């Protein structure tokens, strides 16, 4: 199920019942939104090529047993009527409990996982990570090394976030940045010669064009574009893929390298779909030979749990057992909320950093209940990195073992209320 208002959800439930002869069909009206004079409205669907790629890929995926087993929920009228109510309540509770900001210039480095208390708030810190709570613009004041991988999810200008900030306060949203502010970030200064920049990008075509100019300013070339398709537990897109509307169920991920680097010489289309699930792998070839990459976050089937990312569960369990939290709650939380990720790769690689990154891969997963919470990409990107790469995340909101993370909300999703 995608996001919808409760009245829409009730009509959808009634329609599902009608399909089984239990009632009459209801017209589901979309919420009224102010129309904007854009090229999209005047010239038709500006996402047509991407839409076709997503639809073709999803159609192929639905024939694969691994996909069917991952996304196996059979939707009932009750699913619509609940409308993710318990998850929404959990999200509001988390946002309220974690609204206290971590002081600027709070920095930390951990060798072992532990719980850190800052201004009476508790945060779960994974092993071997460094974090810096500060504006990304101030990066040079804190870091004096280069990285093989830089991942960034800039706070692009977003009308939804603007309305949310206005109605609920900035604790429910974030401060947005224009393209000139993003361009001012010293990305080339921290990217190694053979390094890879990975950027979560808005679907706004004007901003995409402006960001391409930003890459040129940094001396980088766009070498590949991937897509993250957000689906329900039943494997259906959270919103319609095609049509003349702005809200797409997918987001794009841009890959860039220095102009003299690998991938800048040629772009390679995909020819093999390879799904790695735990230690087993299977290869599937499609008729049109497009590669498919599936990343699925298999969280608990309990809808009242806010998805979270927990690594090294046994280590964290030991930490929590020494805290003041009830042990039964710890056990249930770790079992029901631990995310299990299938390792997604695109082939065995000998000299990973010299490999050409394939274009137009589609990653599929159930999205988090937290706005703009992106899935971790490392396992997907790992085949194209050198051994033991140095990794940096900008605008980070959670920590990853072995990474350096920087951002104003760098510990937000490490808050203990999100973990347990």
């Amino acid at each position: 199920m995608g996001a919808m208002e409760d009245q829409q959800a009730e009509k959808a439930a009634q329609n599902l019942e009608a399909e089984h002869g239990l009632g009459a069909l209801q017209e589901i009206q979309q919420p009224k939104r102010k129309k904007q004079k854009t090229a999209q409205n005047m010239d038709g669907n500006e996402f047509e090529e991407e839409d076709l790629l997503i639809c073709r890929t999803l159609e192929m995926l639905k024939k694969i047993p691994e996909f069917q087993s991952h996304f196996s929920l059979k939707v009932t009228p009750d699913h619509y009527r609940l409308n993710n109510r318990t998850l929404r309540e959990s999200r509001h509770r988390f946002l309220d409990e974690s609204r206290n900001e971590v002081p600027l210039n709070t920095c930390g480095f951990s060798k072992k996982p532990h719980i850190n208390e800052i201004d009476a708030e508790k945060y779960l810190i994974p092993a071997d990570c460094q974090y810096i709570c500060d504006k990304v613009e101030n990066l040079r004041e804190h870091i004096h090394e280069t990285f093989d991988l830089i991942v960034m999810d800039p706070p692009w200008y977003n009308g939804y976030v603007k309305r949310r900030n206005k109605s609920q306060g900035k604790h429910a949203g974030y401060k947005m940045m224009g393209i000139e502010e993003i361009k001012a970030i010293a990305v080339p200064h921290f990217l190694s010669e053979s390094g890879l920049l990975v950027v979560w990008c808005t679907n706004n075509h004007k901003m995409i064009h402006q960001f391409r100019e930003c890459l040129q300013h940094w001396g980088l070339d766009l070498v590949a574009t991937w897509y993250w398709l957000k689906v329900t537990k039943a494997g259906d897109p959270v919103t319609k893929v095609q049509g003349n509307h702005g809200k797409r169920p997918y987001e794009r991920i841009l890959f860039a390298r220095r102009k003299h680097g690998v991938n800048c010489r040629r772009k390679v289309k995909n020819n093999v779909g390879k799904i790695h699930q735990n230690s087993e792998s299977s290869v599937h070839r499609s008729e049109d030979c497009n590669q498919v990459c599936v990343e699925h976050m298999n969280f608990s089937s309990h809808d009242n749990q806010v998805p979270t990312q927990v690594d090294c569960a046994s280590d964290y369990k030991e930490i929590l057992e020494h805290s003041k939290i009830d042990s039964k709650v710890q056990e249930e939380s770790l079992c029901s909320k631990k995310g299990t990720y299938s390792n997604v790769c695109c082939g065995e690689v000998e000299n990973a950093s010299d490999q050409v990154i394939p274009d137009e891969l589609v990653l599929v997963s159930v999205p988090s209940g937290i706005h703009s919470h992106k899935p971790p990409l490392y396992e997907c990107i790992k085949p194209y990195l050198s051994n033991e790469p140095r990794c940096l995340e900008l605008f980070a909101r959670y920590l990853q073992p072995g990474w350096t993370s920087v951002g104003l909300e760098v510990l937000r999703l490490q808050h203990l209320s999100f973990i347990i």
Side-chain angles (χ1 to χ4, degrees), residues 45-97:
N45 181 13
E46 61 180 341
F47 299 99
E48 185 174 1
E49 291 186 9
E50 290 96 335
D51 289 350
L52 289 174
L53 169 69
I54 296 299
C55 288
R56 185 171 64 245
T57 303
L58 184 60
E59 182 181 359
M60 180 174 60
L61 275 173
K62 287 188 172 182
K63 300 176 182 178
I64 299 176
E66 284 86 346
F67 184 92
Q68 296 169 4
S69 64
H70 275 314
F71 306 100
S72 58
L73 178 68
K74 303 299 181 184
V75 179
T76 68
D78 285 343
H79 284 114
Y80 281 107
R81 289 193 171 98
L82 285 172
N83 196 20
N84 288 324
R85 187 178 305 139
T86 48
L87 184 143
R88 287 183 288 157
E89 291 171 353
S90 297
R91 178 180 62 220
H92 290 314
R93 185 168 57 251
F94 161 71
L95 292 174
D96 184 63
E97 293 177 358

Side-chain angles (χ1 to χ4, degrees), residues 83-227:
N83 196 20
N84 288 324
R85 187 178 305 139
T86 48
L87 184 143
R88 287 183 288 157
E89 291 171 353
S90 297
R91 178 180 62 220
H92 290 314
R93 185 168 57 251
F94 161 71
L95 292 174
D96 184 63
E97 293 177 358
S98 67
R99 68 168 60 189
N100 291 339
E101 296 181 355
V102 175
L104 284 178
N105 295 315
T106 298
C107 305
F109 177 81
S110 68
K111 283 292 185 182
K112 296 181 179 181
H114 66 280
I115 291 178
N116 193 9
E117 186 170 330
I118 303 174
D119 289 351
E121 303 288 344
K122 292 184 177 181
Y123 302 90
L124 187 54
I125 310 299
D128 299 319
C129 72
Q130 179 181 4
Y131 61 88
I132 301 164
C133 181
D134 199 0
K135 295 180 180 179
V136 169
E137 301 93 302
N138 299 333
L139 206 54
R140 288 178 186 244
E141 299 177 13
H142 303 282
I143 297 177
H144 306 284
E145 60 178 314
T146 59
F147 295 86
D148 304 303
L149 171 65
I150 298 179
V151 175
M152 56 189 289
D153 182 15
W156 305 96
Y157 181 83
N158 183 302
Y160 167 77
V161 174
K162 181 179 179 180
R163 293 190 299 270
R164 192 180 182 91
N165 287 344
K166 185 176 181 179
S167 63
Q168 301 182 34
K170 290 186 178 180
H171 71 277
Y174 48 81
K175 180 182 180 297
M176 296 171 287
M177 296 179 70
I179 194 68
E180 291 301 321
E181 293 175 285
I182 294 172
K183 185 187 292 187
I185 301 170
V187 169
H189 182 77
F190 297 100
L191 189 67
S192 66
E193 283 300 308
S194 59
L196 179 64
L197 173 67
V198 180
V199 182
W200 289 94
C201 188
T202 174
N203 276 328
N204 184 305
H205 276 230
K206 180 180 178 180
M207 289 188 181
I208 293 171
H209 176 73
Q210 291 176 338
F211 187 69
R212 286 173 180 261
E213 296 178 353
C214 183
L215 291 177
Q216 294 294 317
H217 173 76
W218 287 338
L220 306 177
D221 274 344
L222 179 66
V223 297
T225 300
W226 291 6
Y227 299 89

Side-chain angles (χ1 to χ4, degrees), residues 29-56:
Q29 296 181 345
Q30 297 297 324
K32 292 183 178 180
R33 290 178 179 169
K34 184 177 180 181
K35 291 184 178 181
Q36 295 180 344
K37 294 181 179 180
T38 63
Q40 174 185 329
N41 294 326
M42 294 184 290
D43 302 328
N45 181 13
E46 61 180 341
F47 299 99
E48 185 174 1
E49 291 186 9
E50 290 96 335
D51 289 350
L52 289 174
L53 169 69
I54 296 299
C55 288
R56 185 171 64 245

Side-chain angles (χ1 to χ4, degrees), residues 24 146 208 222 239 244 309 388:
T146 59
I208 293 171
L222 179 66
T239 62
N244 191 16
Q309 294 162 203
E388 299 182 1

